[in-house]
């Protein structure tokens, strides 16, 4: 099996919907489902990110307004006919071979077929299609025809079709979907065009299409909403002939656009030939994969991981960053949930923030731009700050439908899911994750987080000695009210309340980062108070999903085994899922997904709830038994929360999450669009759960817990402006090839990794090979090899192995298997230069703290020891063991003894061939007990661990330093 290919053999009309969704091609600006260009059982769909329209429909006697991501004119139609035979239609054709193949690495969809017409002529057809990742307005399809046993004229008909509507989801078919109106068509210099306008949002959409064929068009058929042209291609037996259709899709929402029609025409006119378009497109994908790569070992697993990354990046790419678009729950791949933006970004953005921070910033900006609407919603509901809608679309107003159809009963029912206020918590969580990943909190991000915090603080109302949040829904959509209650909503959803406590802590930190935004100290004080007194209920030794949950009935799970949508089935039976201890998806357990065990414990304790041992595992086991997994998000969360306690079960959930779309585990839903949250969630799970990558304020921690089936895991990430390569196996995790559990941006851990380039050059010279020769052996371009030789970067694992093979060495060696060797053992440069550093520069260099060395005359002779130091009020501070050799030898505790010692810090950067060292000289003393509390705030952690409680301070009497260039 190929880890980069998704292939379908044979034509299966019944499976087309699923195949179309999974073979969607997109570039983050627009996407087109993988519908055939010629079939009858096709559900074509082309969607532009952020292009919505509202329309009224009458259902169950009520007028409802829905906003949809609009299905735009279909650019695909292209069919052909052999002499005296009808147009090719796969459903009715005598197919000798038929195969679809999606190349996940390069974003190319290929269809290959052989067709025998009724007269026995056999024609081979090969189609390649792309939606350009390089030029975000362009798409193209190249068709190669080969007459195998005949020669003659082939008619080829191509169309731009505006007669489309939102008809992709069966249960919405009672609702109107005819969003396009005012169609128009025409041609200009052999380029056909079609325009239409969305009914309510009045967005003009334009398609322009160019056909490159051996002959000029023979005829043109123009209708108001369709334009088709026919070419006649002279086929000579065995000789391929190529017809290429290149289109541009534009809208009046685009940047730098006068009008959509002229823009489409201009884009398509200057579009290069297919081969060049393809070359630019694949190069753009190569660039994306360089950052997005995630190697898991094993082609089966790799293929699904690639599929998930591929569809994520097709929906959210660097082109999206500037578009004012959010995370549509079902991608740009279908019409389920109408292209709305829910809380699913919670599962998607943490992965993006560590690779494509600009995309994730663009997604936060989508939310920030809708702050006025969210503020208004909060005000209307009687709250402060900003209340984001459960479903968001064009302008950020609440788009949740007021009625939904239960397909099991055929009844339209009231929908209260807008009460899922927790969507705001997801946005704030992403702001914080982005801050931790990038180290930057732009003022507008701070504003977003603070306004959400204000809203939740005002939703918390004092009852007795607790604050309560009433009348909401948690992520579990089965509980939208108390059984029999007239008013919807439940009280004190544990997920909402605990995450509110978390948010209020973050809001206090954000207020310190952006003090101008919180001028009144009374506000953080209030947040502090609420954050200590929010109510959380408990029953049977577990956290209660909400107040009153304990009183619900147990469901007969045996009877409903395997039913994922209990809400629908019970309603069809005249019952109500609200009556039962049954969850659609993880709700309380979301807490263990977003917070570490320590964080959750700390928050509960801060709220005044003593956390008894076993509370968390008990809570996990309790809800696990009572969840039907009616959302694909559920498997992701359960795989996560079980990762430590039950690895086999965690793996089963992970496998289910991986198969959500490729196997359509929710039975028919993928055809309506992929589940982007589950796709992103599986990727995030690999990095933050199995790899145990935790973002902290002062660095990142790696605590891998690889499931047995996952031999290795490796990925590049971007952390605070640096590109890092992380890999782990069952033994250890490494950052840029160096074993590491804690990485603090910019400290000494990086120093040895950059000489990969030098090792390659050295080994190449040793073997007497040219760069080109090594590149051929390692199956990589000489350009990339040159890049690796010259830049501090590490190739992906596969490439590294090939390179090691080509150089007849091992990956260990290449990555500094010389870990056990001192740095700088390679040859020196010819002309190193030394620069004397001033005192100020020296202080600046050592200010961040880290590992330094103290040198002194010990009782056994001159001694040098490494210590982990911090700077505190101009002095060096470190910890050692009281009465230990350093303490005794230096007599640091004795008054009047003033033994001068040396302290040195250095950095050797072998990649850039430079380094520096700073030498401090001065007396070392115990920090007096009365000053210890203050000094300990510098947070000096002894490098060697153990009981090192004695604080030593070196007073800087003399500071000197050198910088070396051309090491
Ligand atoms: C889930 C929600 C999710 C939505 C969109 C629903 O089925 O319950 O949590 O946000 O789908 O993916």
């Amino acid at each position: 099996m190929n880890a980069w290919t998704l292939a379908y053999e044979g034509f299966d009309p019944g499976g087309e919907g699923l195949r179309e969704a999974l073979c969607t091609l997109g570039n983050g600006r627009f996407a087109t489902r993988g519908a055939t260009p010629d079939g009858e059982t096709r559900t074509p769909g082309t969607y532009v990110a952020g292009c919505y329209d509202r329309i009224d429909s009458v259902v169950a006697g009520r007028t409802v307004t829905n906003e949809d991501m609009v299905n735009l004119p279909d650019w695909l139609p292209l069919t052909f006919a052999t002499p005296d035979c009808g147009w090719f239609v796969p459903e009715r054709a005598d197919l000798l071979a038929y195969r679809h193949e999606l190349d996940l690495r390069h974003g190319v969809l290929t269809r290959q077929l052989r067709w025998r017409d009724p007269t026995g002529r056999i024609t081979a057809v090969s189609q390649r299609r792309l939606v350009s990742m390089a030029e975000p307005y362009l798409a193209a399809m190249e068709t190669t025809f080969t007459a195998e046993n005949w020669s003659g004229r082939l008619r080829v008909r191509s169309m731009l079709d505006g007669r489309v509507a939102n008809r992709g989801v069966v249960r919405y078919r009672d609702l109107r979907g005819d969003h396009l109106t005012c169609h128009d068509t025409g041609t200009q210099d052999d380029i056909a065009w079609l325009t239409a306008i969305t009914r309510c949002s009045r967005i003009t959409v334009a398609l322009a299409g160019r056909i490159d064929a051996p002959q000029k068009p023979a005829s043109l058929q123009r209708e108001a909403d369709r334009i088709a042209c026919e070419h006649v291609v002279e086929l000579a037996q065995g000789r391929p002939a190529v017809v290429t259709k290149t289109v541009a899709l534009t809208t009046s929402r685009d940047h730098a656009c006068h009008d959509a029609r002229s823009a489409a025409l201009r884009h398509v006119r200057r579009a290069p030939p297919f081969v060049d378009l393809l070359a630019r497109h694949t190069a753009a994908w190569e660039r994306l994969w360089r950052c997005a790569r995630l190697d898991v070992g094993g082609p089966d697993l790799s293929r699904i991981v690639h599929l998930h990354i591929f569809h994520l990046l097709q929906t959210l790419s660097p082109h999206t960053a500037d578009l004012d678009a959010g995370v549509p729950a079902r991608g740009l791949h279908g019409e389920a949930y109408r292209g709305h933006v829910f809380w699913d970004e919670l599962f998607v953005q943490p992965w993006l923030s560590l690779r494509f921070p600009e995309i994730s910033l663009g997604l936060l900006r989508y939310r920030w731009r809708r702050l006025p609407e969210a503020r208004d919603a909060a005000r209307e509901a009687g709250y402060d700050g900003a209340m984001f809608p459960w479903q968001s679309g064009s302008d950020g107003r609440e788009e949740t439908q007021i009625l939904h159809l239960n397909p099991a009963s055929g009844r339209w029912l009231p929908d209260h899911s807008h009460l899922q206020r927790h969507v705001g918590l997801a946005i704030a969580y992403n702001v914080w994750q982005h801050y931790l990943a990038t180290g930057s909190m732009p003022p507008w991000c701070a504003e977003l987080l603070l306004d959400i915090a204000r809203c939740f603080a005002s939703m918390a109302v004092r009852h007795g000695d607790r604050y309560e949040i009433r009348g909401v829904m948690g992520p579990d959509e089965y509980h939208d009210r108390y059984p029999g209650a007239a008013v919807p909503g439940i009280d004190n959803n544990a997920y909402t309340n605990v995450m509110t406590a978390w948010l209020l802590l973050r809001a206090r930190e954000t207020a310190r980062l952006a003090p101008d935004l919180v001028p009144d100290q009374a506000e953080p004080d209030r947040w502090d108070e609420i954050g200590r007194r929010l109510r959380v209920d408990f029953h049977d030794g577990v956290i209660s999903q909400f107040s009153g949950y304990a009183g619900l009935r147990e469901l007969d799970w045996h009877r409903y085994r395997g039913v994922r949508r209990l809400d629908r089935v019970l309603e069809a039976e005249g019952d109500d899922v609200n009556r039962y201890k049954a969850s659609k998806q993880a709700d309380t357990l979301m807490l263990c997904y977003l917070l570490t065990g320590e964080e959750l414990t700390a928050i509960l304790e801060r709220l005044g709830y003593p956390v008894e041992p076993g509370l968390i595992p008990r809570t996990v086991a309790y809800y696990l038994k009572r969840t039907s997994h009616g959302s694909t998000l559920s498997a992701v969360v359960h795989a996560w929360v079980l990762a430590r306690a039950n690895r086999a079960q965690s793996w089963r959930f992970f496998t289910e999450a991986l198969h959500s779309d490729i196997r359509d585990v929710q039975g028919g839903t993928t055809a309506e669009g992929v589940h982007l949250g589950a796709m992103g969630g599986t990727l995030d799970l690999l990095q933050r759960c199995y790899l145990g990558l935790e973002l902290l304020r002062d660095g990142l921690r790696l605590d891998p817990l690889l499931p047995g089936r996952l031999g290795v895991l490796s990925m590049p990430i971007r952390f605070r402006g640096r590109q890092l390569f992380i890999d782990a196996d069952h033994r250890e995790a490494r950052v840029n090839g160096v074993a590491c559990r804690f990485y603090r941006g910019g400290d000494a851990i990086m120093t040895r990794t950059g000489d990969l380039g030098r090792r390659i050059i050295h080994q190449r010279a040793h073997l007497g090979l040219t760069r080109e020769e090594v590149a051929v052996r390692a199956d990589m371009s000489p350009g990339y090899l040159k890049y690796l030789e010259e830049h501090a970067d590490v190739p992906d694992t596969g490439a590294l192995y090939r390179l090691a093979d080509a150089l007849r060495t091992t990956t260990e060696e290449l990555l500094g298997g010389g870990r056990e060797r001192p740095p700088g053992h390679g040859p020196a440069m010819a002309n190193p230069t030394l620069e004397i550093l001033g005192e100020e520069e020296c202080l600046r260099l050592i200010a961040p703290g880290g590992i330094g060395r103290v040198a002194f005359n010990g009782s056994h002779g001159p001694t040098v020891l490494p210590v982990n130091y911090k700077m505190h009020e101009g002095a060096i501070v470190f910890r050692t063991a009281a009465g230990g050799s350093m303490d005794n030898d230096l007599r640091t505790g004795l008054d009047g003894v003033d033994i001068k010692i040396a302290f040195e810090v250095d950095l050797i950067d072998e990649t850039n061939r430079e380094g520096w060292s700073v030498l401090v000289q001065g007396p070392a003393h115990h920090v007096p007990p009365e000053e210890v509390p203050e000094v300990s705030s510098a947070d000096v952690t002894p490098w060697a661990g153990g009981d090192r409680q004695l604080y030593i301070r070196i007073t800087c009497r003399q500071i000197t330093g050198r910088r070396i260039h051309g090491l």
Side-chain angles (χ1 to χ4, degrees):
M1 181 183 291
N2 180 337
W4 290 98
T5 309
L6 188 67
Y8 294 86
E9 286 296 344
F11 180 65
D12 167 23
E16 275 297 274
L18 177 61
R19 194 199 53 74
E20 286 175 354
L22 291 175
C23 291
T24 296
L25 294 180
N27 58 21
R29 178 181 166 272
F30 82 100
T32 296
R33 284 165 66 85
T36 57
D38 40 34
E40 284 173 343
T41 39
R42 55 195 297 267
T43 311
T46 290
Y47 311 96
V48 167
C51 181
Y52 292 100
D53 185 56
R54 316 175 78 76
I55 201 161
D56 288 348
S57 313
V58 178
V59 284
R62 288 177 71 176
T63 300
V64 294
T65 308
N66 282 307
E67 187 176 76
D68 287 309
M69 183 170 74
V70 182
N71 187 10
L72 301 179
D74 185 13
W75 63 270
L76 289 173
L78 185 136
T79 186
F80 38 90
T82 44
D84 308 318
C85 291
W87 294 111
F88 171 82
V89 177
E91 286 83 351
R92 281 179 271 123
D94 179 8
L95 292 168
L96 304 177
Y98 192 92
R99 182 181 163 86
H100 260 108
E101 196 172 293
L102 177 63
D103 175 348
L104 301 166
R105 186 168 202 150
H106 302 113
V108 178
L109 179 64
T110 306
R111 180 168 79 148
Q112 267 159 337
L113 61 94
R114 288 177 67 233
W115 165 49
R116 183 163 49 203
D117 77 7
T119 68
R121 294 187 200 97
I122 298 176
T123 312
V125 181
S126 172
Q127 282 175 320
R128 294 192 289 175
R129 180 196 302 188
L130 60 88
V131 171
S132 175
M133 192 49 96
E135 351 263 325
Y137 301 98
L138 296 181
M141 182 168 67
E142 178 207 66
T143 309
T144 306
F145 300 99
T146 313
E148 291 191 4
N149 59 354
W150 63 284
S151 296
R153 303 180 117 203
L154 181 84
R155 289 187 300 142
V156 180
R157 191 181 67 179
S158 155
M159 181 163 53
L160 303 180
D161 186 2
R163 210 171 290 169
V164 293
N166 282 55
R167 286 269 163 267
V169 177
V170 176
R171 47 182 195 289
Y172 300 164
R173 287 199 183 151
D174 288 349
L175 304 165
R176 280 181 68 186
D178 53 331
H179 289 285
L180 294 179
T181 181
C182 304
H183 295 82
D184 197 6
T185 55
T187 55
Q188 201 181 82
D189 308 333
D190 284 349
I191 296 175
W193 57 263
L194 181 152
T195 56
I197 298 180
T198 58
R199 254 173 222 289
C200 183
S201 53
R202 308 304 293 171
I203 300 169
T204 305
V205 186
L207 251 188
R210 189 183 85 197
I211 299 286
D212 296 315
Q215 277 89 24
K216 287 236 162 224
S219 69
L220 185 86
Q221 292 123 40
R222 195 181 147 199
E223 297 172 68
D225 55 1
R226 284 178 161 172
I227 182 161
C229 63
E230 212 175 293
H231 284 74
V232 175
V233 180
E234 292 287 350
L235 286 185
Q237 184 175 345
R239 207 164 318 137
V242 180
V243 174
T244 304
K245 181 174 187 177
T246 308
V247 299
L249 173 65
T250 57
T251 80
S252 51
R253 288 183 83 235
D254 294 335
H255 298 314
C257 166
H258 174 270
D259 69 280
R261 187 173 70 95
S262 71
L265 284 162
R266 292 162 78 83
H267 283 302
V268 88
R269 194 169 295 127
R270 45 176 188 250
F274 188 83
V275 273
D276 296 333
L277 207 56
L278 179 66
R280 290 189 209 170
H281 167 72
T282 52
W285 267 110
E286 287 287 354
R287 279 197 297 279
L288 288 184
W289 279 114
R290 216 167 288 150
C291 304
R293 189 98 195 214
L294 208 170
D295 291 324
V296 285
D300 219 359
L301 193 55
S302 301
R303 191 169 66 116
I304 306 181
V305 167
H306 292 152
L307 182 79
H308 287 190
I309 296 174
F310 178 67
H311 284 306
L312 196 59
L313 291 177
Q314 292 205 111
T315 312
L316 306 164
S317 80
H319 299 301
T320 326
D322 197 24
L323 277 191
D324 190 30
V327 179
R330 306 299 280 275
L332 299 171
H333 297 59
E335 290 161 20
Y337 292 129
R338 311 169 193 291
H340 290 174
V341 178
F342 296 62
W343 72 322
D344 303 51
E345 61 208 47
L346 180 61
F347 297 83
V348 171
Q349 265 180 258
W351 188 83
L352 283 173
S353 289
L354 279 169
R355 288 153 184 87
F356 302 98
E358 70 290 353
I359 304 180
S360 124
L361 204 63
L363 297 172
L364 292 176
R365 201 171 278 119
Y366 165 84
R367 294 300 193 172
W368 177 78
R369 288 200 176 106
R370 284 149 188 81
L371 257 184
E373 198 65 42
R375 285 184 180 136
D376 218 42
R379 201 165 32 244
E380 283 220 347
Y383 304 134
D384 301 334
M387 184 171 82
F388 280 90
W390 172 237
Q391 295 189 26
S392 179
S394 58
D395 58 12
R397 73 182 96 162
E398 181 59 78
E399 301 294 354
T400 305
Q401 66 275 38
I402 51 172
L403 291 177
H404 69 244
L405 178 71
N406 178 3
S409 68
R411 275 190 285 270
W412 286 90
L413 305 164
D415 190 324
H416 301 297
S417 52
H418 68 276
L419 291 175
Q420 291 186 69
R421 306 293 182 219
H422 65 83
V423 59
L425 298 166
I427 299 168
Y429 185 84
N430 278 339
V431 171
W432 195 254
Q433 284 296 317
H434 188 268
Y435 164 60
L436 291 180
T438 62
S440 132
M441 172 76 85
W444 61 268
C445 282
E447 188 187 10
L448 190 56
L449 185 142
L450 289 168
D451 258 14
I452 296 172
R454 287 184 174 115
C455 181
F456 279 89
S458 66
M459 282 163 66
V461 174
R462 184 103 191 213
H463 288 279
D465 64 347
R466 285 282 169 192
Y467 283 89
E468 302 198 0
I469 298 182
R470 295 188 168 182
V472 298
M473 275 174 72
D476 162 28
E477 298 182 331
Y478 285 172
H479 291 282
D480 68 348
R481 67 175 69 223
Y482 286 100
V487 184
I490 45 105
D491 303 336
N492 299 313
N493 169 245
Y495 171 68
T496 305
N497 287 15
V498 173
M499 286 309 291
T500 297
W502 172 89
L503 171 59
L504 297 179
L505 284 170
R506 300 296 81 84
R508 283 162 58 83
E509 280 184 74
T510 307
R512 285 195 285 276
L513 293 171
D516 294 356
L517 298 178
V518 190
D520 183 358
Q521 181 55 33
E523 225 184 351
D525 290 349
R526 188 173 136 71
W527 296 339
D528 186 46
E529 185 192 319
I530 299 171
R532 290 175 188 278
R533 286 165 183 247
L534 273 157
R535 172 168 166 178
V536 178
D537 288 43
F538 297 83
H539 70 280
D540 299 346
V542 304
I543 302 172
S544 305
Q545 191 172 305
F546 50 84
S547 299
Y549 180 92
L552 301 181
R553 292 164 170 242
E554 291 288 2
L555 183 83
D556 179 357
W557 287 93
H558 191 64
R559 181 165 166 210
Y560 295 100
R561 189 195 299 261
V563 177
R564 289 195 186 256
R565 292 302 300 268
L566 285 166
D567 53 339
R568 293 179 177 170
V569 170
L570 289 174
E571 194 274 333
E573 292 175 355
D575 202 345
D576 178 6
V577 74
N578 273 307
R579 298 169 61 219
Y580 299 99
K581 287 178 176 147
S583 305
K584 176 181 175 192
Q585 64 200 85
D587 187 305
T588 306
L589 300 191
M590 279 300 300
L591 292 172
C592 310
Y593 179 79
L594 297 183
L595 307 174
T596 62
E598 300 92 75
E599 281 175 311
L600 178 55
T601 304
I603 291 178
L604 288 173
E605 285 178 348
R606 200 163 179 271
L607 289 171
Y609 296 110
V611 176
E612 301 157 25
L615 172 74
I616 296 176
R618 262 198 314 277
T619 304
V620 171
Y622 184 90
Y623 289 103
L624 184 58
K625 274 201 246 155
R626 292 167 174 81
T627 304
S628 73
H629 309 295
S631 159
T632 51
L633 298 175
S634 199
V636 175
V637 180
H638 282 88
W640 191 300
V641 301
L642 289 164
R644 269 162 217 278
N646 188 335
R647 299 175 70 178
Q649 212 176 357
S650 164
W651 184 256
R652 276 200 295 280
F653 275 116
F654 179 58
T655 313
E656 178 181 326
L658 282 175
H659 290 143
S660 297
D661 283 314
I662 199 165
R663 294 217 187 126
D664 191 17
V665 297
Q666 299 274 340
T669 58
T670 298
E672 304 166 344
V674 296
H675 298 81
L676 213 63
M679 286 192 160
T682 50
L683 305 175
D684 195 25
L685 191 96
L686 284 167
Q687 65 174 11
R688 288 201 297 151
C689 176
Y690 290 154
L691 186 57
L693 190 156
E694 190 189 344
L695 304 183
L696 304 168
R697 282 172 207 75
D698 56 347
L700 61 84
R701 185 158 45 210
L702 290 167
D703 188 8
L705 195 87
L706 261 49
R709 310 279 274 279
L710 212 60
V712 289
L713 193 54
S714 64
M715 58 190 80
I717 63 163
R718 225 178 143 62
F719 178 64
R720 302 195 184 149
R722 276 167 182 263
Q723 190 76 17
L724 304 178
F725 183 80
I726 303 195
D727 71 325
D729 52 28
H730 292 278
R731 257 181 332 123
E732 61 182 21
R734 291 168 286 265
V735 175
N736 286 358
V738 179
C740 169
R741 288 186 86 82
F742 182 78
Y743 168 75
R744 182 178 290 127
D747 70 14
I749 192 162
M750 294 294 294
T751 56
R752 273 173 289 172
T753 59
D755 53 357
L756 169 71
R758 271 172 83 182
R759 291 194 197 99
I760 297 173
I761 295 171
H762 177 78
Q763 189 66 9
R764 198 154 63 65
H766 178 69
L767 297 174
L769 295 172
T770 64
R771 186 182 282 149
E772 284 67 26
E773 284 164 337
V774 173
V776 169
R777 288 178 178 205
D779 193 19
M780 62 175 56
S781 68
Y784 185 51
L785 184 55
K786 181 166 184 285
Y787 168 77
L788 286 178
E789 289 182 356
E790 292 171 359
H791 297 81
D793 206 346
V794 185
D796 63 72
T797 337
L800 193 63
Y801 275 104
R802 295 199 305 278
L803 195 54
D805 261 2
L807 290 168
R808 300 211 196 109
T809 177
T810 62
T811 52
E812 277 269 283
E813 278 291 322
L814 278 184
L815 283 178
R819 237 181 279 155
E820 297 289 306
R821 273 186 242 152
H825 56 270
M829 257 168 88
N831 299 308
T833 54
L834 265 187
E835 181 194 346
I836 309 278
L837 301 177
E839 197 174 313
E840 215 175 291
E841 174 67 352
C842 291
L843 278 171
R844 189 186 70 75
L845 288 171
I846 63 172
I851 295 168
R853 289 165 192 83
V854 281
F856 53 93
N857 267 327
S859 50
H860 301 291
T863 305
V864 180
L865 291 174
V867 293
N868 197 284
Y869 77 98
K870 281 270 162 84
M871 297 293 290
H872 183 74
E873 292 186 349
I876 312 282
V877 186
F878 60 91
R879 276 162 60 178
T880 186
S885 71
M886 198 186 299
D887 183 24
N888 284 340
D889 290 351
L890 293 176
R891 281 161 287 154
T892 42
L894 297 185
D895 271 352
V897 176
D898 216 20
I899 301 176
K900 197 163 150 191
I901 69 167
F903 173 80
E904 192 257 5
V905 189
D906 59 40
L907 182 132
I908 314 291
D909 181 343
E910 297 192 24
T911 319
N912 298 317
R913 297 187 164 206
E914 57 181 34
W916 53 260
S917 70
V918 169
L919 179 69
V920 174
Q921 290 165 310
H925 289 291
H926 286 188
V927 173
E930 63 279 12
E931 286 180 39
V932 165
E934 213 212 303
V935 169
S936 62
S937 70
D939 194 20
V940 192
T941 332
W943 184 47
D947 187 25
R948 292 178 156 71
Q949 293 305 333
L950 182 67
Y951 281 85
I952 305 279
R953 172 164 60 202
I954 304 174
T955 311
C956 304
R957 292 263 165 83
Q958 200 178 344
I959 305 185
T960 51
R962 306 267 189 289
R963 199 186 273 286
I964 184 163
H965 302 275
L967 195 68

